[in-house]
Every structure is written in structure tokens, then in C-alpha cells.
Amino acid sequence: MSSNLVVTQLLVVALALVMFGLGLSLSLQDFTRLLKHPKAVVVALLLQIVVLPLACYGLIIALDVPPLFAVGLMLLAASPGGISANLFSHLFGGNVAMNISLTAINTVLSIITLPLISNWAINTFAKTGQVVPLQTGKVVEVIAVVLIPVFIGMWMRTLKPGFAARSEKPMKIFSAVVLAVVAIGALLKEWQALSTSFASIGPAVVAFNLLSLLAGYYLSRLAGLDKPMSTAISYEIGIHNSTLAIFVALAVLNNFQLALPAAIYSVSMYITATLFGLVVLRRRASQPLMA
């Protein structure tokens, strides 16, 4: 069995574990909760589905990002919020319940939006045939690996709530460790490609991350949402599910270069998200009239 196939299979397992861990933390109430905050939901979904892809496209053009990296960056922009968004939202005073609800709905919606945005990016930037667009069978594969583990986790929580409550945290830790091992293994295997391409894609990845966080917070505040809700939305759209983006790039589209933006993002986002919380959110917290 080739090393590429091993990495791909481990990545499938890692993503399934992450999605199962997400399912253990979800209930139907997380979806119905969205009905109580229609403005926040509309703002978050517009940012996620419309504003971020457009902003990402603008960065690609402004920074003259190479075609394959441009597709990878758009793939990242199309990915829903990651589980780490809940942690950062909690640390910096966000409405964590809304984070959980938005992650749930964005994960479901991404099954439609991710293939659409990805195929548009492939047709727009990779016109030389380096990447084959997502076909129906591949979309079904993504649905299976993303949604089925989530539903199993939710079913387990309903059937055995005690077990789900005890397993939720260890499962998240275990899935994070598996993901880290797989990601580090893949990066070490392609370290030369990563190091030589960082100058081409690194600045665009960091800029996209910062732009996502800032747009999520300030546009939410501009829409009249309170600080906890704006913080939740900021981290929800500012911390993407890079695992899903890497999975689609490696296991579905079979192209390592497409995974590089998400791989860099999976490391840099922890730094930018922390700095955003310390510099932007806490500074505003010290100004009660502005909060």
C-alpha cells in the first residue's frame, strides 16, 4: 500500500472522528435555537456563503495567488466553521451556544455550497485541467464522511446521553490527536513543497484568516448584534474546518498542492485567533461604552 493511500485513509478516519465528536455535542435544540435569533443567523450565513468567498476571491486577485493555491484557498473559504471556534468563542466571551448551532447548520449547508464554490474555483483558476471538478460520486463521498458520523454522534447522544456526555471531551481530544498526527505526517512527507510554496500562499492565508475574523465581528456589530453574538459569529466564520478542506483536496481531488493553504491555515489560525481575541475583543471589553 502506497504512503499516499495510507495518508488518505487516515485522513478519512480523522475527519470521521472529528465529525462524530461534533455530533456528540449536538442536539435538535441546537437547530431550533437558530429560530430564536433570526438576525444573527442571517448575518452569519451571508458572511459565510457570500462575503467570505467574495473576499477570498478579492485577495487572490490582489495578491496574484498561483492558480492551484487559489483553488485551495477558495476550498478553505467554502468550508464551514471548525470545532475550535467553540473554544475560542468561550475564551473570549462569545455566545458558545450560538457557535454550536451555527456550526451545525453550516456543516449541513456546506454539503451544497462547498462543491459549488469548489467547482467554480476550479473552472475559474485551474483552466489547464490540473484539477478535475467534483463529480456527483465525489460529492456523495463527502456527504458520507461528513454527515453520517455527525448523525451517528447525535443518535448516540439521544440513545445514551450519559455515555455521550462522558465521551464528548475524550473523543474531541482523540480526534484532534489523530488529525494532528495525520496532518504532521503529510506535511513532513511534502515538507520541501510546503517550504518552497509558503512565500506564495502564506501571506494570503494569514490575510484571509484575519479578514474573516474582523469582518465577522465588525459587520455583526454594524448589523446591531451584541458583543457575545458578534464574537461567536466572528470565530464561527474566522476559524474554518481545515480538516474538511484537506480531506477534499487529498482524498477527493487527489492534489496535495490544493491542501497547502488549509495545512498552513490549520497552524496559523491558532495564532491569529488568539491575537484577535487579545487585541480586538479585550481592548473593546475595556471600553464599556463601545462594547
Side-chain angles (χ1 to χ4, degrees):
M1 184 180 294
S2 69
S3 57
N4 286 336
L5 184 58
V6 172
V7 169
T8 299
Q9 291 181 342
L10 287 175
L11 188 60
V12 173
V13 173
L15 180 60
L17 287 171
V18 170
M19 292 298 103
F20 176 71
L22 174 61
L24 287 176
S25 68
L26 294 178
S27 67
L28 292 178
Q29 289 179 339
D30 296 317
F31 292 92
T32 57
R33 184 188 297 119
L34 296 170
L35 299 175
K36 299 177 182 178
H37 304 280
K39 180 190 281 191
V41 174
V42 170
V43 170
L45 292 183
L46 282 177
L47 287 170
Q48 175 70 44
I49 297 173
V50 179
V51 174
L52 285 193
L54 289 176
C56 186
Y57 177 77
L59 279 175
I60 289 169
I61 299 302
L63 299 178
D64 194 24
V65 177
L68 284 180
F69 294 154
V71 175
L73 197 58
M74 289 298 299
L75 184 61
L76 182 63
S79 300
I83 296 176
S84 299
N86 302 344
L87 172 62
F88 279 104
S89 185
H90 171 70
L91 289 175
F92 293 105
N95 187 322
V96 180
M98 181 53 63
N99 274 106
I100 294 172
S101 296
L102 289 174
T103 299
I105 192 66
N106 273 331
T107 299
V108 173
L109 290 178
S110 70
I111 298 304
I112 299 172
T113 58
L114 192 147
L116 290 176
I117 293 175
S118 298
N119 282 347
W120 174 84
I122 290 169
N123 292 328
T124 301
F125 299 112
K127 297 178 180 178
T128 58
Q130 299 135 300
V131 186
V132 177
L134 285 170
Q135 305 300 321
T136 303
K138 294 296 185 180
V139 174
V140 172
E141 182 180 339
V142 174
I143 292 173
V145 176
V146 172
L147 287 190
I148 290 178
V150 170
F151 289 146
I152 291 175
M154 292 180 66
W155 174 75
M156 183 66 69
R157 174 171 172 160
T158 302
L159 192 66
K160 295 185 178 297
F163 170 78
R166 293 191 301 271
S167 303
E168 182 181 339
K169 187 174 181 179
M171 195 67 210
K172 285 182 179 179
I173 294 174
F174 178 66
S175 61
V177 170
V178 172
L179 173 61
V181 170
V182 173
I184 291 172
L187 292 178
L188 289 177
K189 181 176 179 296
E190 302 288 348
W191 179 252
Q192 184 175 358
L194 178 63
S195 57
T196 56
S197 62
F198 183 82
S200 300
I201 188 60
V205 170
V206 174
F208 172 67
N209 190 194
L210 288 173
L211 183 61
S212 301
L213 289 165
L214 291 169
Y217 185 79
Y218 286 108
L219 291 180
S220 296
R221 295 291 279 157
L222 191 63
L225 299 179
D226 63 21
K227 184 175 179 181
M229 194 70 76
S230 300
T231 300
I233 292 175
S234 177
Y235 279 118
E236 183 62 32
I237 72 163
I239 299 184
H240 292 265
N241 189 339
S242 55
T243 317
L244 177 57
I246 294 173
F247 165 76
V248 173
L250 293 182
V252 180
L253 296 175
N254 194 30
N255 191 308
F256 179 79
Q257 285 185 297
L258 296 183
L260 285 175
I264 295 171
Y265 179 88
S266 65
V267 176
S268 65
M269 70 177 184
Y270 290 103
I271 300 172
T272 52
T274 301
L275 290 176
F276 171 78
L278 293 174
V279 175
V280 176
L281 299 179
R282 290 198 173 180
R283 177 180 296 171
R284 292 182 65 85
S286 65
Q287 301 172 357
L289 292 178
M290 296 295 293

